[in-house]
Amino acid sequence: MHETLSKKLKDYRSRHNLTQKELAARLFVSDKAISKWERGNGLPDIETLVRLADLLGTPVEELLKEKKETYYYEYKSERRVLRLPLMHILIPNLFLLLNQVTSVREFFVLMKEVPTASGWFCLGVKAKGVIAMGLISLGLLSIGVMSFGALAIGTISIGAFAFGHFCFALLVGIGNIAVGSVVVGNVGIGLLALGNVAVAWIGVANYGVGSFMAVLPSSATAKDFNHAIQQLLATDIPDLIKTTFFEPMIRFTQSPIVVAGFVVTILAGVVFILCLVIIGLIRLRQSVLYEKL
């Protein structure tokens, strides 16, 4: 209550360029009273409070209402499936956090206290769900700066299928630096690797170390890549590897319809996730507006 009145008085004086003494004259009180109210050390009497509300153009109850700032805004859908909400959006109030912290360490301490968003689709600083998006995310499909999941996409990603700057994949990894069973990257380390630099049992790279390695020219084209794959197919690598990986690669690169279908599928997935984000943010805004009423 005291904080709300204090803030409104200071804002009013600032907007109208008034001193405490000038505001006191308008309210027929002393400047010491104004100073006390602005420090949050007291409240005016009922008669003065009515004059003050009229001067500020604010209902009396607004002056008496204690405004609670929140460190985060939240929307959680009421509908649940298997005890999980269909959507959970949790966004930190960065303006409040930045105004209250005095050091980087204090900022991260406050961010750590922000709860984890969880649900079928969740978005937040920390997110955990089926489709999870956040700075730190965990989910079947996980997107974030640090992501962990069956399909993980992020700056640092760890999962069965991982995509990112640094990715560690149980099965397939695609990234600048990729480690996993089958990897594609600038630097690839795995059983099968495609990249500029590869350390693998079987690989295709500009520079590579491994038992079976096809070398690409510095400016490789799709034709050079297919030629390198043909070289590997002519070696005595296991037939299972040939039929499972390399032969499908050649068919994939030589079939425009398959390539187009793959690209369309990826784009459809991106659009679907963007739609979820937009819907979630709209619901969050509606939730915040409702709480203010």
Side-chain angles (χ1 to χ4, degrees):
M1 180 186 306
H2 297 68
E3 291 180 3
T4 301
L5 178 61
S6 171
K7 185 176 184 302
K8 286 186 177 295
L9 282 173
K10 291 176 182 177
D11 289 345
Y12 181 84
R13 285 203 307 107
S14 177
R15 288 199 313 271
H16 293 82
N17 198 25
L18 296 174
T19 64
Q20 289 183 340
K21 190 170 185 179
E22 289 170 335
L23 178 59
R26 294 188 180 190
L27 294 171
F28 308 106
V29 297
S30 68
D31 56 340
K32 291 182 179 180
I34 298 294
S35 176
K36 182 174 69 173
W37 299 338
E38 288 191 357
R39 294 197 308 272
N41 293 334
L43 290 170
D45 56 43
I46 298 298
E47 185 179 345
T48 304
L49 194 61
V50 172
R51 287 203 303 271
L52 184 58
D54 185 56
L55 181 68
L56 299 178
T58 303
V60 173
E61 57 269 22
E62 279 294 320
L63 294 178
L64 301 177
K65 186 186 297 182
E66 186 64 49
K67 184 179 180 181
K68 294 182 179 179
E69 296 284 3
T70 179
Y71 286 107
Y72 57 89
Y73 303 110
E74 182 178 22
Y75 167 74
K76 183 184 290 187
S77 61
E78 296 182 0
R79 183 175 298 177
R80 290 173 175 264
V81 177
L82 299 178
R83 297 185 179 181
L84 284 176
L86 288 178
M87 182 175 287
H88 190 186
I89 310 295
L90 204 152
I91 305 296
N93 186 345
L94 291 177
F95 294 106
L96 177 63
L97 292 175
L98 292 173
N99 285 333
Q100 293 197 355
V101 299
T102 57
S103 66
V104 174
R105 180 180 177 278
E106 189 177 348
F107 175 78
F108 281 105
V109 168
L110 287 175
M111 290 290 280
K112 187 178 179 181
E113 295 177 358
V114 175
T116 299
S118 59
W120 287 87
F121 172 73
C122 51
L123 174 65
V125 175
K126 295 170 286 186
K128 180 176 65 176
V130 179
I131 300 177
M133 299 181 66
L135 293 181
I136 301 174
S137 59
L138 172 65
L140 289 178
L141 170 57
S142 176
I143 303 172
V145 175
M146 293 185 64
S147 59
F148 309 85
L151 174 57
I153 303 171
T155 303
I156 300 174
S157 57
I158 300 173
F161 298 87
F163 304 85
H165 188 66
F166 299 98
C167 61
F168 305 87
L170 179 63
L171 298 176
V172 178
I174 300 176
N176 189 36
I177 299 175
V179 179
S181 299
V182 180
V183 296
V184 179
N186 188 38
V187 177
I189 302 172
L191 295 176
L192 280 75
L194 305 176
N196 184 36
V197 179
V199 179
W201 175 41
I202 303 171
V204 178
N206 299 109
Y207 308 95
V209 177
S211 300
F212 302 94
M213 192 65 59
V215 179
L216 291 170
S218 56
S219 300
T221 63
K223 185 177 179 180
D224 294 324
F225 178 76
N226 285 335
H227 180 67
I229 298 297
Q230 293 289 356
Q231 285 181 321
L232 287 175
L233 290 173
T235 64
D236 57 350
I237 61 175
D239 290 336
L240 179 63
I241 301 296
K242 292 180 181 180
T243 57
T244 305
F245 293 100
F246 292 120
E247 289 177 358
M249 279 184 188
I250 292 177
R251 289 196 297 270
F252 179 81
T253 56
Q254 293 179 342
S255 175
I257 295 177
V258 174
V259 174
F262 178 76
V263 172
V264 169
T265 301
I266 296 297
L267 290 177
V270 171
V271 170
F272 175 70
I273 292 173
L274 285 176
C275 288
L276 289 177
V277 172
I278 292 171
I279 292 170
L281 293 178
I282 291 173
R283 296 284 178 84
L284 174 65
R285 184 174 182 273
Q286 291 173 340
S287 177
V288 171
L289 292 176
Y290 178 78
E291 289 179 359
K292 288 182 178 181
L293 295 177

